[in-house]
Amino acid sequence: MTGRRFDLRRALVGLLEPLDPILLVLLCLLLGYSFTLMASASPARMESQMINSAVAVVVMWVTARLPIQRILALALPVYLIGVLLLVAVAVFGETSKGAQRWLNIGVARIQPSEIMKIAVPLMLAWYFHHREGAVNARDFVAAGILLVIPVGLIVRQPDLGTALLVAAAGFFVLFFAGLSWKLIAPVAVAGIVGIGTIVGFGDRICQPEVDWVVLHGYQKNRVCTLLDPTSDPLGKGFHIIQSTIAIGSGGLAGKGWRDGTQTHLAFIPERHTDFIFAVLGEEFGFVGACLLVFMYIALITRGFVIAMAAPALSSRLLAGAVTMIFFTYAFVNMGMVSGILPVVGVPLPFISYGGTALVTLCLGLGILMSVQRARLTTQKT
Amino acid sequence: MSFDDPEQELQHFRSRLLVAGGFMLVCFALLVARFGWLQINRFDYYHTRAEDNRIALVPISPNRGLIVDRDGEVLARNYAAYTLEIAPTHFRQADALFDQLASVVEITPRDRRRFSKILDESRNFDSVPIRIRLTDEEVARFVARRFEFEGVEVKARLFRDYPNGSLASHVIGYIGRINERDLERIDARDETANYRGTEHIGKVGLEQSYEDELHGVTGFEEVEVDAGGRAVRQLRRTPPTSGNNLVLTLDRGLQRVAENAFNGRRGALVAIEPATGGVLALVSSPTFNPNLFVDGISTQDWNALNTSPDHPLLNRALASANPPGSTFKPFMALAALTTGKRTPEQAISDPGYFDFGGHRFRDDKVGGHGVVDMYKSIAFSCNTYYYRLAADLGIEQIAGFMDGFGLGSRTGVDLEGESSGVLPSPEWKRTRFRRVEQQKWFAGETISVGIGQGYNAYTPIQLASAVATLAADGVRFRPHLVRYVEDVRTGARRVIEPEPLTRLPLAREHVDFIKRAMEGVNLEGTGRRAFKGAGYRVAGKTGTAQVFSLRGATYREKQIRERLRDHSLYVAFAPVDKPAIALAVLVENGGFGSQAAAPIARQVLDYYLLGIEPDEPALPDEEASDEFEPTPAAGAAQ
């Protein structure tokens, strides 16, 4: 009898062995928060979100068990397949009047741009891994090209939100690999000047006859809506107006779970997906919002610690970039819902309803755990 | 920038990580500052706004445009009815609510099933219908007790209705509830705001292809709501703009006669006005009742339609490509005249077969047709004449000529789901097959193509368009169903102009000769039984397409024999001197063209040109044969 109990315990330990306990605890807290909000915002979707979470956790466990070298070895094929799929989308993809994002593979429709959120940093980390010890300026050019190809294809779909996320993920690898400040600074300055122009001259450049050359009409609309939400009260402007009211009226401690009037009188659109943070702000107030921000900071800090201690250049870059992906998601989403960034379709990581993003994020967690395991094993030996 | 020393590299990485960490903290601090600003500094303001957020913006969905035929007969309309609805936020236990409601209004198990299905697919916060089409009595009963049901509301909604039932269902299509995929499409067009409040969207047919015209612009009203979310007072209203009406080129009477003529047999008919390309009738038989789809089709109905071996949901007129059989011959003959390969008088002696490359291609008629010139080759459908002609023309020339008639490419009709069919050519074969040995074009394949068999595959609408082009002396129009789009408020009409796609360089005397020969088909040739005593001059051509394989559902043994019969085809236009209508008829497994398809064409033309209402469906003429001989003494039809 004792032998059997011993086996059971060992099995349990074996099951948890590949998982980083700190990340695991943080994930559980975030998912718990998510379910709490879901029970208020959209109880009918609880069940399917639990299934999504289960799938995502399995993906994370499988990834975490893989040695990091194995994961890195997948970089090139996954990247190439991803790029090929993006090309396939451009050629055969289902155009739904204007945007071509989906590829129908018979059984299901897939969105290859989602794969690239992980595949791009993986590929770049793999590239620098092969150049370890001899990285020079030319490598940054090559890595830049590897980054620009998928981002360009996604921009062309057009899907600016995803393109920005993929570009950010790739950029962080370059940044951690030591991209010169001389190159970063001008881009940052240009960005600040550009945003300044839009904010400063919003009235003039939002006139309908002004064509924004690089951006599509609907993207222009989203930026203009941010500047003047009342210009589109039934559409995107409505989202921003109502989510700001929801957050603001939450006050310090919130109106209480399931007592959000904005939420329950149905003023918040997409309240279980991209705008779930408005529900949080309304029902749990400033305290609840800061709690979430704190959870993210803890998650990101843990990611940085893992990156800092990683034994090889490639896993350092990968861990750093993956961690920054979490940051980008969280910042862009909360910024959008609270009205300081334009509306782009980015979910709140680990909180929003939806399986695809959750699986991608948990894949990222799995990679971090795999990096961490590699360090533990090297220490033991 | 190169790091040869790993230690130095690590140091550098760590400093970068610190920068990133700092950046992250600054960004999050910015967010927290924003939250503080909204939730602490401006709390009073937003608190009041939320309290005052008794003002709801309620979208008012526009009336969907009507669809009427060329004479204004209604094909699709709306009617208002009361529904019982609930917002998904207002309940947690659907079953309990339903049991409670059942004491007030009748709720069937189907209503429950539909409710849970719609709830699963529901978008965000739209209210979900519990019961539709309440009677006045039920509305009164519910309103008296409505305080018991928080969040449940009676709403007046518009429903789509197709008053003619299954008539022209493949043309009109139907609307259905907006699903995830429709939502993505709406979102991609940035129409999300305009579809707030809209529950249905065109799924098939004109309802789908003219969705933008039919939908209209959503209005909205600002209303004051009580704590339960119910509207108490209207503050401001921006009225919706109704969708535009579609006025079709279709003739409802003709469509009905054509559909009845099929009597449920599988097949298709397309009738086109040669001078404009306007579609007068478009039949795909069997058909279905589009009203079934409007509120979400029940599982039984769906299974019945979807698994039927007759595939009623398939629009055969647009999507079913078949060999044209002998209806191809007039076009082959015209190609011969145009290229100068034949004169009308040149005759061959037909022994009943044609030897080519060691293979014997046989005529339908054992012993042959004797001396055959071009007129006789069309009127009596002589294969041997065309075997030889095909060999002389060669596949490139055939393909080049037929392409001018639009065969093998989509006609561009204003409905979705059109197949392109196959215009065989060596180039097509190279792209179609992967293995090199399959890619080679064999000269023998040209011979079968010459009589409309082999790889040839055209949809009924392509055939109809090609015949209309011939009737219009080589001017080809884009077939279209909508004559004009009408603005409901202003009455302004936007006419869909007939669009000549090509003007084929054909010689007048060649076209006239072919028309005379096609008239001969009905006077003395293969179509003469079907068109005996017709009160107008009519040109036609029978066709019989070989069926090679069975596809799709499983068949019972008895049906297999039936489904191995040839497809019956017929093309025609009339009156010969000034064509008002051109058509193509396909009857699947109908046998010879003269047996099943020609009698249908006769009824349709009789109705359109003379106004004769048929008493019964076009019965198949089992006596008729495409091998029919001019002299009754020699008529040994099989």
Side-chain angles (χ1 to χ4, degrees), chain B residues 319-339:
Chain B
S320 164
N322 287 294
S326 303
T327 61
F328 202 54
K329 287 175 182 166
F331 299 99
M332 283 292 291
L334 189 56
L337 292 174
T338 306
T339 54

Side-chain angles (χ1 to χ4, degrees), chain A residues 45 94 96-97 109 133 135 175 179 234 242 247 251 262 267 271 277 281 286 300 308 316 338, chain B residues 2-4 10 13-14 16-17 24 34-35 39 43 49 53 89 122 181 184 188-189 196 220:
Chain A
R45 290 190 173 81
E94 299 197 348
S96 41
K97 309 250 172 159
R109 294 186 315 149
V135 177
F175 175 76
L179 183 63
L234 263 188
Q242 296 303 339
I247 295 171
Q262 285 285 98
F267 283 107
R271 58 163 183 265
F277 183 74
F286 185 69
I300 291 161
M308 187 111 49
R316 277 203 291 277
S338 61
Chain B
S2 70
F3 310 102
D4 298 329
L10 189 63
F13 175 76
R14 286 184 177 167
R16 286 278 158 127
L17 216 50
M24 169 200 79
R34 172 74 177 169
F35 302 153
Q39 300 185 301
F43 168 70
R49 284 221 36 196
N53 221 342
T89 32
S122 123
R181 263 182 106 157
E184 277 162 26
R189 282 186 298 163
R196 283 192 58 207
F220 53 95

Side-chain angles (χ1 to χ4, degrees), chain B residues 187-232:
Chain B
D187 193 46
R189 282 186 298 163
D190 209 26
E191 285 261 18
T192 315
N194 197 27
Y195 276 81
R196 283 192 58 207
T198 302
E199 300 186 306
H200 294 94
I201 192 167
K203 300 275 185 177
V204 181
L206 292 170
E207 292 272 33
Q208 176 194 28
S209 54
Y210 284 89
E211 172 66 28
D212 292 348
E213 297 284 355
L214 291 164
H215 181 269
V217 182
T218 300
F220 53 95
E221 60 181 340
E222 287 178 17
V223 292
E224 206 177 301
V225 293
D226 64 16
R230 280 203 186 93
V232 219

Side-chain angles (χ1 to χ4, degrees), chain B residues 85 114 117-119 121-123 126-129 132 157 159 174-183 198-203 293-297:
Chain B
E85 301 183 5
R114 187 188 50 220
K117 191 173 155 217
I118 293 174
L119 189 67
E121 303 165 348
S122 123
R123 317 180 266 158
D126 287 346
S127 57
V128 178
I132 51 175
R157 293 243 184 222
F159 286 87
Y174 51 82
I175 59 169
R177 290 193 69 88
I178 294 176
N179 61 25
E180 289 282 333
R181 263 182 106 157
D182 299 321
L183 269 186
T198 302
E199 300 186 306
H200 294 94
I201 192 167
K203 300 275 185 177
F293 288 88
V294 176
D295 308 320
I297 189 165

Side-chain angles (χ1 to χ4, degrees), chain B residues 107-118:
Chain B
I107 288 174
T108 64
R110 210 196 136 189
D111 289 326
R112 291 183 190 233
R113 277 200 302 275
R114 187 188 50 220
F115 180 82
S116 55
K117 191 173 155 217
I118 293 174

